[in-house]
Amino acid sequence: MREGPDIARIASLVGDPARANMLNALMGGTALTASELALEAGVSLPTASSHLGKLMEGGLLTVASQGRHRYYGLAGPQVAGMIEAITGVAEAVGPKRVRPGPRDAAMRVARVCYDHLAGEQAVAMLDRLVAKNVLVRDEQEIRLGPSAASHFAAIGIDVYTKPRRPVCRACLDWSVRRSHLAGTLGAAILDKILAEKWARREKDSRAVIFSLPGKQAFEKVFLS
Amino acid sequence: MREGPDIARIASLVGDPARANMLNALMGGTALTASELALEAGVSLPTASSHLGKLMEGGLLTVASQGRHRYYGLAGPQVAGMIEAITGVAEAVGPKRVRPGPRDAAMRVARVCYDHLAGEQAVAMLDRLVAKNVLVRDEQEIRLGPSAASHFAAIGIDVYTKPRRPVCRACLDWSVRRSHLAGTLGAAILDKILAEKWARREKDSRAVIFSLPGKQAFEKVFLS
DNA sequence: CGCATAGTTCGTTCCTCATCGAAGCGTTCT
DNA sequence: AGAACGCTTCGATGAGGAACGAACTATGCG
């Protein structure tokens, strides 16, 4: 019975399915709110809050309060590395669970990621905006390009009115494995998509379903 | 609520104190019997047997029956790497070190990590081998450099004889937070260190204690 | 054979901990 | 101010699983 760093304590934190889902969700690098994590983990808000408290006490998470939101994020790259290592073992050891359900397919195409759009559509959009030099990215950073203000003003989005959060942020897409656009700009674009009724949100799901004309309009504005 | 490799299942296996102690004991690289592991974990034999069954079912252990003994060992270096990663987080997060004893200090200098050397010595060695271009690393990958074969042949290590596992692997060191050398080459080097009696293994510990001449010999061969 | 040792299986007990509803606090919006 | 929202705390419930003693299987030794 030897003593060392309390590995069981840390592992048991990750060992609960709800907490594991939360940590997995946070592996993208973007901080998420308690509600978002509750949804992600498939548990009620009180349960999620309890889990988050434990993860905080265990030192695996950091939290930043912004207004009435609390943004939870991984405590650091070391924690992320640990989760990667566990994931590697799980993948090597466990049989692959293949079940691409119908809702799952829709989720891959487009879904809500807290307050912005994620999925193939969102990744394609960011790619296109960068290609057109409207946005400029180097590594994880995304900044507004020179033509950004006029470009977004033309479609009714003011990129300067919401100073609190970063305007642009990269958010790693779990289905595509590449970044999409977060931040207030990402949120504003999602707002527009829903306001214009180009798409609707699936009930009780993060999936976002584009109508046929809506998809065409979206592509004309953001993918042309 | 996403699906992926079942990380919670693996983590919860490590998350029980008894099982964590067992895995820790097996990090020394030597296979142990159920009775020894029961003692190590501080539980009764039936309890230990149950835990071992679960670890087996989870794919974290292998077993070899020899007569009426059953020798349990870690399933592989990937599992060892995962435990190192968890240990690193536990160490970083739990500053409540009860006793940073002498054995702990020795562990930081050099210790066994499943089948290869870890600790400051091991990290320094990998750095030096890369600096000398004997090994080439980019990111997480480590490959043999052009002079590797002759360099290791000169000290009696054949880098081509063990085709099953990767020859080189990076393994993140929990005490130094940088990579050391794993894989068959790492294992062969540890073998040599012990065979040449440059160092001995601490009883009931992962610590590796270099003798003074042994340390000099090691530095001459690997750090010069 | 009989006896000892090594491990596993079984059944029971017990306790931790995940879960959710309801209520409480703080923030933001109108 | 009042209403809506985001999140946490409290309390009760329930299930999973860790623990061990006893019984069972297998191997080794005279």
Side-chain angles (χ1 to χ4, degrees), chain B residues 109-187:
Chain B
V109 174
R111 66 182 177 280
V112 172
C113 177
Y114 176 57
D115 64 355
H116 56 272
L117 194 69
E120 294 162 10
Q121 293 268 25
V123 172
M125 180 181 78
L126 177 56
D127 281 352
R128 190 72 192 109
L129 288 173
V130 170
K132 283 195 290 188
N133 214 30
V134 173
L135 299 181
V136 179
R137 78 179 303 176
D138 49 347
E139 302 300 325
Q140 287 304 323
E141 277 275 318
I142 299 183
R143 298 190 316 275
L144 295 174
S147 64
S150 62
H151 184 273
F152 286 110
I155 53 179
I157 293 175
D158 183 352
V159 293
Y160 292 125
T161 48
K162 302 179 182 178
R164 266 180 303 189
R165 285 204 283 142
V167 175
C168 301
R169 270 197 70 196
C171 180
L172 194 63
D173 199 291
W174 61 259
S175 53
V176 189
R177 274 206 53 177
R178 288 175 47 210
S179 293
H180 57 247
L181 182 64
T184 57
L185 180 54

Side-chain angles (χ1 to χ4, degrees), chain A residues 33 35 45 49 68 70 72:
Chain A
T33 65
S35 316
L45 226 159
S49 186
R68 57 183 169 183
R70 308 198 73 192
Y72 288 93

Side-chain angles (χ1 to χ4, degrees), chain A residues 1-8, chain B residues 17-30 32 36-43 87 97 99 103 107 111-112 201-207:
Chain A
M1 180 115 118
R2 73 189 58 203
E3 276 313 319
D6 199 348
I7 142 178
Chain B
R19 287 194 292 262
N21 281 331
M22 291 175 171
L23 291 168
N24 238 325
L26 291 173
M27 281 295 281
T30 41
L32 299 173
E36 289 171 320
L37 287 167
L39 189 67
E40 200 74 37
V43 294
T87 306
R97 299 291 301 155
R99 47 173 165 126
R103 198 173 70 185
M107 289 267 283
R111 66 182 177 280
V112 172
R201 301 235 1 216
E202 178 92 340
K203 182 90 174 167
D204 292 332
S205 161
R206 292 168 57 192

